[in-house]
Amino acid sequence: QQQVKQSPQSLIVQKGGIPIINCAYENTAFDYFPWYQQFPGKGPALLIAIRPDVSEKKEGRFTISFNKSAKQFSLHIMDSQPGDSATYFCAASKWYGQNFVFGPGTRLSVLP
Amino acid sequence: EAGVAQSPRYKIIEKRQSVAFWCNPISGHATLYWYQQILGQGPKLLIQFQNNGVVDDSQLPKDRFSAERLKGVDSTLKIQPAKLEDSAVYLCASASLNEQFFGPGTRLTVL
């Protein structure tokens, strides 16, 4: 019940495309859902996060869509750029960072 | 604002040896996490501290791993003795409310 599933494992898009990464969770006690971006040799960095009281949140080119009934959430990257090439992790936790669980990651490549 | 500092950045040891990692969190962050990230996988939480108290260590292999956060600031993570499967990047993160800030990690190779 602690697991967070993530797909696809890898994704290749052309510059300007809109990659979509999906995640699913089981534990209904989770109420904080962040997305992290990680470049090789670096620690993950928070991109955007959402709580289950809203269905969508947008920050710049990044949008989270959240479906509470389906226990799923997804990341959309608008107008993707080669600099967005990185590994993306979804995560889930209880509020105040309890029981933090990461998905297995999606390696995104944006071709110029 | 200075980020999360970790040292060493790289460590190579032989199995059955001991190793320790150090983390200095962002000033004022009460919450500190240690994660293990095996190549190609997401970070796995090992232990979470709130100030100098342990909040969650349910996934810490306590027969060989230990961690402490004396005085509620710096933290050390120790592995004794190391096994081949401990080869991974060990990430430290500190948090203000929910937002976690990660350090660069320590890459451990166990031969």
Side-chain angles (χ1 to χ4, degrees), chain A residues 62-87:
Chain A
F62 301 95
T63 300
I64 298 180
S65 298
F66 187 84
N67 185 329
K68 186 175 181 178
S69 61
K71 292 186 283 186
Q72 295 175 349
F73 57 111
S74 59
L75 176 70
H76 301 231
I77 305 175
M78 308 301 290
D79 187 28
S80 59
Q81 302 295 313
D84 296 330
S85 297
T87 300

mmCIF file of all heavy atoms in Angstrom, chain A residues 62-87:
data_model
loop_
_atom_site.group_PDB
_atom_site.id
_atom_site.type_symbol
_atom_site.label_atom_id
_atom_site.label_comp_id
_atom_site.label_asym_id
_atom_site.label_seq_id
_atom_site.Cartn_x
_atom_site.Cartn_y
_atom_site.Cartn_z
ATOM 1 N N PHE A 62 4.883 23.494 -16.470
ATOM 2 C CA PHE A 62 4.576 22.222 -15.808
ATOM 3 C C PHE A 62 3.170 22.244 -15.215
ATOM 4 O O PHE A 62 2.786 23.196 -14.541
ATOM 5 C CB PHE A 62 5.603 21.948 -14.703
ATOM 6 C CG PHE A 62 7.021 21.884 -15.206
ATOM 7 C CD1 PHE A 62 7.834 22.996 -15.156
ATOM 8 C CD2 PHE A 62 7.515 20.714 -15.753
ATOM 9 C CE1 PHE A 62 9.137 22.949 -15.634
ATOM 10 C CE2 PHE A 62 8.817 20.646 -16.230
ATOM 11 C CZ PHE A 62 9.629 21.765 -16.172
ATOM 12 N N THR A 63 2.421 21.173 -15.485
ATOM 13 C CA THR A 63 1.058 21.043 -14.979
ATOM 14 C C THR A 63 0.882 19.674 -14.347
ATOM 15 O O THR A 63 1.304 18.664 -14.925
ATOM 16 C CB THR A 63 0.028 21.209 -16.112
ATOM 17 O OG1 THR A 63 0.166 22.507 -16.706
ATOM 18 C CG2 THR A 63 -1.396 21.051 -15.586
ATOM 19 N N ILE A 64 0.270 19.649 -13.157
ATOM 20 C CA ILE A 64 -0.134 18.382 -12.539
ATOM 21 C C ILE A 64 -1.641 18.271 -12.691
ATOM 22 O O ILE A 64 -2.383 19.208 -12.371
ATOM 23 C CB ILE A 64 0.199 18.331 -11.042
ATOM 24 C CG1 ILE A 64 1.683 18.437 -10.779
ATOM 25 C CG2 ILE A 64 -0.311 17.014 -10.448
ATOM 26 C CD1 ILE A 64 2.019 18.386 -9.276
ATOM 27 N N SER A 65 -2.088 17.101 -13.144
ATOM 28 C CA SER A 65 -3.504 16.757 -13.140
ATOM 29 C C SER A 65 -3.706 15.683 -12.087
ATOM 30 O O SER A 65 -2.915 14.740 -12.002
ATOM 31 C CB SER A 65 -3.942 16.233 -14.508
ATOM 32 O OG SER A 65 -3.781 17.222 -15.488
ATOM 33 N N PHE A 66 -4.761 15.839 -11.282
ATOM 34 C CA PHE A 66 -4.971 14.929 -10.157
ATOM 35 C C PHE A 66 -6.378 14.371 -10.203
ATOM 36 O O PHE A 66 -7.352 15.126 -10.319
ATOM 37 C CB PHE A 66 -4.727 15.680 -8.842
ATOM 38 C CG PHE A 66 -4.747 14.789 -7.632
ATOM 39 C CD1 PHE A 66 -3.619 14.104 -7.249
ATOM 40 C CD2 PHE A 66 -5.911 14.636 -6.885
ATOM 41 C CE1 PHE A 66 -3.630 13.268 -6.142
ATOM 42 C CE2 PHE A 66 -5.937 13.801 -5.777
ATOM 43 C CZ PHE A 66 -4.791 13.121 -5.404
ATOM 44 N N ASN A 67 -6.502 13.049 -10.118
ATOM 45 C CA ASN A 67 -7.798 12.372 -10.101
ATOM 46 C C ASN A 67 -7.901 11.588 -8.796
ATOM 47 O O ASN A 67 -7.367 10.484 -8.677
ATOM 48 C CB ASN A 67 -7.921 11.446 -11.310
ATOM 49 C CG ASN A 67 -9.306 10.812 -11.417
ATOM 50 O OD1 ASN A 67 -9.972 10.561 -10.411
ATOM 51 N ND2 ASN A 67 -9.735 10.549 -12.625
ATOM 52 N N LYS A 68 -8.580 12.172 -7.816
ATOM 53 C CA LYS A 68 -8.625 11.578 -6.479
ATOM 54 C C LYS A 68 -9.363 10.237 -6.486
ATOM 55 O O LYS A 68 -8.936 9.284 -5.834
ATOM 56 C CB LYS A 68 -9.303 12.545 -5.511
ATOM 57 C CG LYS A 68 -9.272 12.088 -4.077
ATOM 58 C CD LYS A 68 -9.842 13.149 -3.152
ATOM 59 C CE LYS A 68 -9.796 12.699 -1.689
ATOM 60 N NZ LYS A 68 -10.308 13.748 -0.787
ATOM 61 N N SER A 69 -10.460 10.145 -7.233
ATOM 62 C CA SER A 69 -11.246 8.908 -7.221
ATOM 63 C C SER A 69 -10.475 7.746 -7.831
ATOM 64 O O SER A 69 -10.596 6.600 -7.395
ATOM 65 C CB SER A 69 -12.572 9.113 -7.950
ATOM 66 O OG SER A 69 -12.350 9.462 -9.305
ATOM 67 N N ALA A 70 -9.669 8.046 -8.844
ATOM 68 C CA ALA A 70 -8.876 7.007 -9.496
ATOM 69 C C ALA A 70 -7.538 6.796 -8.810
ATOM 70 O O ALA A 70 -6.799 5.863 -9.142
ATOM 71 C CB ALA A 70 -8.655 7.348 -10.966
ATOM 72 N N LYS A 71 -7.204 7.660 -7.881
ATOM 73 C CA LYS A 71 -5.909 7.641 -7.193
ATOM 74 C C LYS A 71 -4.767 7.697 -8.204
ATOM 75 O O LYS A 71 -3.828 6.880 -8.161
ATOM 76 C CB LYS A 71 -5.809 6.417 -6.271
ATOM 77 C CG LYS A 71 -6.772 6.504 -5.096
ATOM 78 C CD LYS A 71 -6.592 5.376 -4.093
ATOM 79 C CE LYS A 71 -7.202 4.103 -4.625
ATOM 80 N NZ LYS A 71 -7.182 3.009 -3.637
ATOM 81 N N GLN A 72 -4.881 8.667 -9.103
ATOM 82 C CA GLN A 72 -3.862 8.847 -10.133
ATOM 83 C C GLN A 72 -3.529 10.324 -10.277
ATOM 84 O O GLN A 72 -4.370 11.196 -10.034
ATOM 85 C CB GLN A 72 -4.380 8.305 -11.479
ATOM 86 C CG GLN A 72 -4.615 6.811 -11.498
ATOM 87 C CD GLN A 72 -5.230 6.334 -12.800
ATOM 88 O OE1 GLN A 72 -5.682 7.132 -13.629
ATOM 89 N NE2 GLN A 72 -5.242 5.027 -13.005
ATOM 90 N N PHE A 73 -2.301 10.591 -10.682
ATOM 91 C CA PHE A 73 -1.910 11.960 -10.990
ATOM 92 C C PHE A 73 -0.848 11.923 -12.072
ATOM 93 O O PHE A 73 -0.158 10.909 -12.253
ATOM 94 C CB PHE A 73 -1.434 12.725 -9.743
ATOM 95 C CG PHE A 73 -0.291 12.103 -8.995
ATOM 96 C CD1 PHE A 73 0.960 12.703 -8.995
ATOM 97 C CD2 PHE A 73 -0.457 10.943 -8.248
ATOM 98 C CE1 PHE A 73 2.015 12.166 -8.281
ATOM 99 C CE2 PHE A 73 0.585 10.387 -7.536
ATOM 100 C CZ PHE A 73 1.832 10.995 -7.552
ATOM 101 N N SER A 74 -0.765 13.014 -12.816
ATOM 102 C CA SER A 74 0.140 13.027 -13.952
ATOM 103 C C SER A 74 0.821 14.388 -14.089
ATOM 104 O O SER A 74 0.322 15.401 -13.603
ATOM 105 C CB SER A 74 -0.615 12.692 -15.239
ATOM 106 O OG SER A 74 -1.650 13.635 -15.459
ATOM 107 N N LEU A 75 1.959 14.352 -14.744
ATOM 108 C CA LEU A 75 2.742 15.566 -15.028
ATOM 109 C C LEU A 75 2.734 15.791 -16.541
ATOM 110 O O LEU A 75 3.019 14.874 -17.307
ATOM 111 C CB LEU A 75 4.179 15.397 -14.529
ATOM 112 C CG LEU A 75 5.138 16.548 -14.843
ATOM 113 C CD1 LEU A 75 4.770 17.780 -14.009
ATOM 114 C CD2 LEU A 75 6.577 16.135 -14.585
ATOM 115 N N HIS A 76 2.420 17.016 -16.931
ATOM 116 C CA HIS A 76 2.477 17.416 -18.337
ATOM 117 C C HIS A 76 3.528 18.524 -18.458
ATOM 118 O O HIS A 76 3.515 19.463 -17.645
ATOM 119 C CB HIS A 76 1.129 17.990 -18.802
ATOM 120 C CG HIS A 76 -0.016 17.040 -18.662
ATOM 121 N ND1 HIS A 76 -0.882 16.771 -19.700
ATOM 122 C CD2 HIS A 76 -0.458 16.310 -17.614
ATOM 123 C CE1 HIS A 76 -1.805 15.909 -19.288
ATOM 124 N NE2 HIS A 76 -1.575 15.619 -18.027
ATOM 125 N N ILE A 77 4.379 18.410 -19.459
ATOM 126 C CA ILE A 77 5.377 19.444 -19.696
ATOM 127 C C ILE A 77 5.062 20.097 -21.040
ATOM 128 O O ILE A 77 5.202 19.469 -22.098
ATOM 129 C CB ILE A 77 6.809 18.874 -19.698
ATOM 130 C CG1 ILE A 77 7.065 18.107 -18.393
ATOM 131 C CG2 ILE A 77 7.823 20.008 -19.863
ATOM 132 C CD1 ILE A 77 8.420 17.411 -18.359
ATOM 133 N N MET A 78 4.619 21.327 -20.997
ATOM 134 C CA MET A 78 4.260 22.044 -22.233
ATOM 135 C C MET A 78 5.527 22.550 -22.924
ATOM 136 O O MET A 78 6.512 22.892 -22.259
ATOM 137 C CB MET A 78 3.343 23.218 -21.899
ATOM 138 C CG MET A 78 2.137 22.854 -21.049
ATOM 139 S SD MET A 78 1.080 21.620 -21.820
ATOM 140 C CE MET A 78 0.395 22.604 -23.148
ATOM 141 N N ASP A 79 5.465 22.599 -24.259
ATOM 142 C CA ASP A 79 6.572 23.166 -25.045
ATOM 143 C C ASP A 79 7.929 22.653 -24.531
ATOM 144 O O ASP A 79 8.809 23.432 -24.147
ATOM 145 C CB ASP A 79 6.528 24.698 -24.981
ATOM 146 C CG ASP A 79 7.533 25.361 -25.909
ATOM 147 O OD1 ASP A 79 7.881 24.753 -26.945
ATOM 148 O OD2 ASP A 79 7.976 26.481 -25.592
ATOM 149 N N SER A 80 8.087 21.350 -24.516
ATOM 150 C CA SER A 80 9.297 20.764 -23.926
ATOM 151 C C SER A 80 10.553 21.193 -24.687
ATOM 152 O O SER A 80 10.533 21.443 -25.901
ATOM 153 C CB SER A 80 9.177 19.240 -23.888
ATOM 154 O OG SER A 80 8.982 18.724 -25.200
ATOM 155 N N GLN A 81 11.627 21.315 -23.928
ATOM 156 C CA GLN A 81 12.915 21.777 -24.435
ATOM 157 C C GLN A 81 13.990 20.721 -24.162
ATOM 158 O O GLN A 81 13.856 19.937 -23.222
ATOM 159 C CB GLN A 81 13.299 23.088 -23.766
ATOM 160 C CG GLN A 81 12.287 24.212 -23.958
ATOM 161 C CD GLN A 81 12.170 24.627 -25.410
ATOM 162 O OE1 GLN A 81 13.184 24.829 -26.100
ATOM 163 N NE2 GLN A 81 10.941 24.757 -25.898
ATOM 164 N N PRO A 82 15.085 20.726 -24.942
ATOM 165 C CA PRO A 82 16.165 19.768 -24.664
ATOM 166 C C PRO A 82 16.680 19.854 -23.231
ATOM 167 O O PRO A 82 17.090 18.853 -22.657
ATOM 168 C CB PRO A 82 17.238 20.169 -25.683
ATOM 169 C CG PRO A 82 16.465 20.719 -26.835
ATOM 170 C CD PRO A 82 15.299 21.456 -26.204
ATOM 171 N N GLY A 83 16.638 21.030 -22.637
ATOM 172 C CA GLY A 83 17.074 21.203 -21.251
ATOM 173 C C GLY A 83 16.173 20.515 -20.237
ATOM 174 O O GLY A 83 16.539 20.384 -19.067
ATOM 175 N N ASP A 84 14.997 20.060 -20.684
ATOM 176 C CA ASP A 84 14.096 19.314 -19.797
ATOM 177 C C ASP A 84 14.493 17.838 -19.721
ATOM 178 O O ASP A 84 13.891 17.077 -18.938
ATOM 179 C CB ASP A 84 12.653 19.405 -20.301
ATOM 180 C CG ASP A 84 12.106 20.826 -20.271
ATOM 181 O OD1 ASP A 84 12.535 21.611 -19.398
ATOM 182 O OD2 ASP A 84 11.261 21.157 -21.132
ATOM 183 N N SER A 85 15.452 17.425 -20.534
ATOM 184 C CA SER A 85 15.899 16.031 -20.523
ATOM 185 C C SER A 85 16.478 15.690 -19.152
ATOM 186 O O SER A 85 17.475 16.281 -18.721
ATOM 187 C CB SER A 85 16.947 15.792 -21.618
ATOM 188 O OG SER A 85 16.388 16.017 -22.897
ATOM 189 N N ALA A 86 15.846 14.784 -18.460
ATOM 190 C CA ALA A 86 16.198 14.453 -17.082
ATOM 191 C C ALA A 86 15.350 13.245 -16.668
ATOM 192 O O ALA A 86 14.538 12.751 -17.454
ATOM 193 C CB ALA A 86 15.899 15.631 -16.147
ATOM 194 N N THR A 87 15.534 12.805 -15.442
ATOM 195 C CA THR A 87 14.663 11.779 -14.881
ATOM 196 C C THR A 87 13.650 12.451 -13.964
ATOM 197 O O THR A 87 14.015 13.309 -13.152
ATOM 198 C CB THR A 87 15.466 10.728 -14.108
ATOM 199 O OG1 THR A 87 16.397 10.107 -15.004
ATOM 200 C CG2 THR A 87 14.543 9.649 -13.536
#
